């Protein structure tokens, strides 16, 4: 189901268009997972996010390693920067040694990346962990909003990144476990977003060092 237009709630979501959204959840129903500043401009962040959840680029490789993604297969981006680029990524993740969990699980990630004007970037990410208990019954839906810092004069001064998460259930199969599933899934979403922000800052720092001229 596709979302409608309009930015919804306050804060960092104000002014964000959801026309063509991957999912219909309202801003007010989402939980904020992360709010941080990153030392890179909007163009550099967009290039990094084009490699998210796959092994294209330094950031993507680091993130896959951190999240334990194996056998990663990423589809091609379809669409346009203005209306939104979309693709699907699949991979396999090893599960922790806990009762009821398989040794590994398939993971499917839908992504939508859209540049909204010169100062805003929206990434939508929907994650399905298929082989865990009730894994076919819910999806974790995220919205990542990056705003160019005002001091940057159009994006050179870094970006403010905020991430919201929501657990969408399909049918009533997981109804009795919904509260526990939601709590665990949101915690995992926050952990992944925090790791991604840390790696984005690390990559930006490394690239800045590489661009510095050698000492005389």
């Amino acid at each position: 189901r596709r979302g409608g237009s309009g930015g919804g709630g306050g804060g960092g979501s104000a002014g964000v268009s959801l026309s063509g959204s991957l999912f219909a959840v309202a801003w007010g129903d989402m939980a904020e997972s992360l709010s941080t500043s990153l030392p890179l401009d909007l163009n550099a962040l967009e290039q990094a996010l084009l490699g998210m959840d796959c092994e294209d680029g330094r950031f993507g490789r680091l993130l896959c390693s951190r999240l334990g993604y194996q056998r990663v297969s990423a589809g091609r981006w379809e669409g346009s920067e203005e209306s939104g680029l979309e693709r699907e990524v699949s991979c396999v993740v090893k599960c922790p040694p806990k009762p009821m969990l398989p040794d590994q699980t398939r993971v499917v990630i839908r992504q939508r990346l859209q540049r909204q004007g010169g100062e805003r970037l929206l990434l939508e990410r929907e994650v399905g962990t298929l082989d865990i208990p009730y894994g076919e019954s819910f999806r974790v839906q995220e919205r990542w909003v990056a705003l160019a810092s005002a001091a940057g004069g159009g994006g050179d001064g870094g970006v403010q990144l905020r991430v919201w998460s929501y657990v969408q259930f399909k049918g009533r199969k997981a109804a009795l476990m919904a509260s526990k599933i939601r709590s665990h899934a949101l915690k995992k979403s926050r952990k992944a977003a925090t790791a991604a922000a840390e790696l984005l800052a690390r990559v930006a720092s490394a690239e800045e060092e590489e661009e510095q001229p050698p000492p005389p």
Side-chain angles (χ1 to χ4, degrees):
R1 183 183 174 188
R2 293 285 179 168
S5 62
S13 65
V16 178
S17 171
L18 297 182
S19 177
S21 175
L22 283 182
F23 32 81
V25 58
W27 284 109
D29 293 330
M30 305 188 85
E32 187 168 11
S33 302
L34 179 72
S35 179
T36 190
S37 297
L38 293 175
L40 69 171
D41 64 38
L42 209 60
N43 290 331
L45 178 60
E46 182 177 15
Q47 288 304 307
L49 293 180
L50 285 169
M52 187 163 184
D53 296 316
C54 72
E55 295 169 325
D56 295 340
R58 183 181 298 181
F59 166 66
R61 290 190 293 271
L62 288 171
L63 185 64
C64 285
S65 177
R66 178 71 67 88
L67 299 182
Y69 290 173
Q70 302 174 14
R71 290 164 29 202
V72 179
S73 176
R76 296 183 61 180
W77 289 103
E78 303 287 347
S80 69
E81 184 182 54
E82 292 75 22
S83 63
L85 294 164
E86 297 184 19
R87 73 170 177 182
E88 186 171 288
V89 178
S90 62
C91 63
V92 172
V93 176
K94 186 177 180 181
C95 295
K98 294 183 178 180
M100 304 292 291
L101 289 181
D103 292 336
Q104 61 184 26
T105 177
R106 295 167 296 152
V107 175
V108 175
I109 305 167
R110 291 198 304 151
Q111 301 171 328
R112 179 174 179 268
L113 183 63
Q114 184 183 28
R115 186 73 174 257
Q116 297 186 358
E119 299 182 350
R120 184 178 291 110
L121 190 64
L122 170 67
L123 170 70
E124 293 185 314
R125 185 171 178 264
E126 182 182 73
V127 183
T129 308
L130 305 182
D131 300 317
I132 63 173
Y134 304 104
E136 296 280 3
S137 301
F138 72 95
R139 298 289 184 269
V140 178
Q141 299 174 336
E142 301 171 348
R143 289 192 178 120
W144 299 50
V145 177
L147 296 175
S149 298
D156 296 332
V159 297
Q160 179 71 20
L161 176 67
R162 298 180 70 179
V163 181
W164 288 263
S165 305
Y166 177 77
V167 181
Q168 187 253 340
F169 290 93
K170 303 166 67 176
R172 299 193 55 80
K173 184 177 180 181
L176 294 177
M177 296 293 293
S179 179
K180 186 173 183 179
I181 290 171
R182 183 181 296 108
S183 176
H184 178 76
L186 290 177
K187 181 179 179 181
K188 192 171 180 180
S189 177
R190 285 192 297 271
K191 186 176 180 180
T194 300
E198 174 193 327
L199 294 174
L200 284 166
R202 183 194 301 181
V203 168
S205 177
E207 290 178 349
E208 183 177 351
E209 290 180 4
E210 291 173 359
E211 293 175 357
Q212 295 296 324

